[in-house]
Amino acid sequence: MNKSNVSPDGSGAAYRIVVDEQVLTLREPIWTGRQLLEHADRRPTQEFLIYQMGEHNLLEEISLDESVDLRRAGMERFITFRSDRSFRFLLNAQRQDWGVPKISEANLRRLANVGHEYSIWFVPAIGDPRELRHDELVDLTGNDVEQFQTERRITIKVVNEDNGAEFDLVTNRRARI
């Protein structure tokens, strides 16, 4: 948890949280979803969804009147969406909710907590899996629960013994030769 025992003015405990990209310092440890939205200037609050980013970057929706205790570890990161509904998908077989109808490859990468040494794969209910392109958007409004998987990329170093030139081949286990 990102908590300091003394607030910036020296008057007591302070709790540091991040709402989207905005860093907030709060004095009280318990806040409702509505209060967090108001403090982060997300108004009118009833037009927003707020999610807590928990362990393993799993998102959990916080209702407007639900309380969160910032003293618990992992309670300090939140994401908001101006939306009236959420969209569900699976990422590495773990259920996730998202607040808008499309999700980017970059956001899937962030939620999976993986770098560019991994590929993000869309696994449709019907058809073949395909690797998402950098910054590709995927529509989550279909009839099926969209499924995504991460997979470590394989790098093969090739050395030309005649001239010493080297280059890397980047592939994955799904590549067809």
Side-chain angles (χ1 to χ4, degrees):
M1 179 172 55
N2 194 6
K3 178 186 120 175
S4 63
N5 292 329
V6 179
S7 66
D9 64 4
S11 62
Y15 302 88
R16 243 190 179 144
I17 66 168
V18 177
V19 178
D20 297 325
E21 301 298 319
Q22 182 182 4
V23 178
L24 302 172
T25 302
L26 308 172
R27 290 185 184 272
E28 299 298 321
I30 299 176
W31 291 72
T32 65
R34 182 183 320 276
Q35 290 171 320
L36 289 169
L37 287 167
E38 287 173 352
H39 200 71
D41 261 350
R42 304 298 190 271
R43 293 185 182 98
T45 57
Q46 63 271 19
E47 292 182 11
F48 284 85
L49 299 173
I50 185 167
Y51 291 89
Q52 163 202 329
M53 187 170 283
E55 188 177 355
H56 305 294
N57 287 348
L58 292 177
L59 297 178
E60 182 180 329
E61 185 174 2
I62 300 168
S63 68
L64 292 178
D65 297 319
E66 183 179 353
S67 295
V68 293
D69 188 339
L70 301 177
R71 294 173 292 202
R72 288 184 33 219
M75 299 293 282
E76 65 272 355
R77 290 175 49 205
F78 301 89
I79 296 175
T80 66
F81 298 95
R82 186 174 210 138
S83 182
D84 64 343
R85 67 195 69 155
S86 64
F87 300 86
R88 184 160 289 151
F89 61 93
L90 295 174
L91 177 59
N92 292 333
Q94 293 188 325
R95 190 177 82 187
Q96 293 275 3
D97 288 314
W98 195 245
V100 290
K102 293 189 178 190
I103 189 164
S104 70
E105 178 267 355
N107 280 324
L108 288 164
R109 185 174 298 288
R110 231 176 260 122
L111 290 172
N113 198 28
V114 296
H116 290 285
E117 70 277 10
Y118 283 81
S119 299
I120 308 292
W121 287 80
F122 172 57
V123 184
I126 298 173
D128 293 327
R130 67 178 179 80
E131 184 176 0
L132 296 181
R133 296 180 317 273
H134 177 69
D135 286 338
E136 180 176 350
L137 291 174
V138 179
D139 187 353
L140 300 174
T141 61
N143 291 332
D144 295 313
V145 175
E146 288 73 18
Q147 294 188 48
F148 302 94
Q149 293 177 341
T150 60
E151 183 177 295
R152 188 179 260 307
R153 289 190 172 122
I154 300 167
T155 302
I156 302 167
K157 183 172 283 300
V158 178
V159 179
N160 183 329
E161 291 180 356
D162 293 332
N163 63 14
E166 296 182 7
F167 63 95
D168 292 338
L169 295 174
V170 179
T171 188
N172 57 64
R173 68 178 174 82
R174 299 173 196 248
R176 293 191 176 132
I177 299 174

